[in-house]
Amino acid sequence: EVQLEESGGGPVHTGGSLRLSCTVSGLTLDNWAIGWFRQVPGMEREAVSCISTSGGKTYYSDSAKGRFTIFAASDRNAVELQMNNLQPGDTAVYFCAAAQRSVLYIWDVPGAWPYWGQGTQVTVSS
């Protein structure tokens, strides 16, 4: 059974940083993609970033480029998202998701990802 667990969320002030972690069990990261999404109540789930763990190719939304970095911690079967210069608009529940590498062509479509974690809250206050 594939399971994903997010950690590292919490409150932070504007301009601060957080590192989210997605620990994966039930599969090894080779030949899979891990994505990060976020959702605000009443809004659609939004793609943030993803990584192809085989080869390390990364993808970012326009809002994440230059501020967020995704990387694999293969020794822990995990993927992390380093978020810098956080802004109030980044406040959301952040989810990680897993899919086979073919998802990369449509990585920003939440419906293309079959496996999801429960989410971790990130709250950025001024």
Side-chain angles (χ1 to χ4, degrees):
E1 180 185 4
V2 177
Q3 292 186 324
L4 296 90
E5 183 174 3
E6 303 92 342
S7 61
V12 65
H13 290 300
T14 299
S17 298
L18 284 175
R19 180 175 292 187
L20 305 183
S21 183
C22 175
T23 302
V24 183
S25 60
L27 61 87
T28 53
L29 292 181
D30 289 349
N31 294 318
W32 286 77
I34 303 295
W36 283 97
F37 294 77
R38 65 187 185 187
Q39 190 168 23
V40 174
M43 303 291 286
E44 293 188 355
R45 196 163 291 190
E46 173 191 19
V48 176
S49 181
C50 85
I51 185 168
S52 169
T53 56
S54 177
K57 190 167 177 60
T58 58
Y59 302 78
Y60 295 95
S61 66
D62 287 344
S63 63
K65 283 177 186 174
R67 300 189 300 132
F68 296 2
T69 303
I70 189 170
F71 56 95
S74 300
D75 58 330
R76 293 182 286 111
N77 220 46
V79 168
E80 301 194 339
L81 184 69
Q82 176 67 40
M83 306 188 295
N84 297 329
N85 192 22
L86 285 161
Q87 302 297 314
D90 295 315
T91 295
V93 178
Y94 283 71
F95 299 88
C96 65
Q100 296 196 342
R101 289 179 65 226
S102 56
V103 80
L104 294 175
Y105 296 102
I106 50 170
W107 76 272
D108 59 346
V109 178
W113 297 76
Y115 303 107
W116 292 86
Q118 294 299 306
T120 185
Q121 176 71 46
V122 171
T123 303
V124 185
S125 59
S126 56

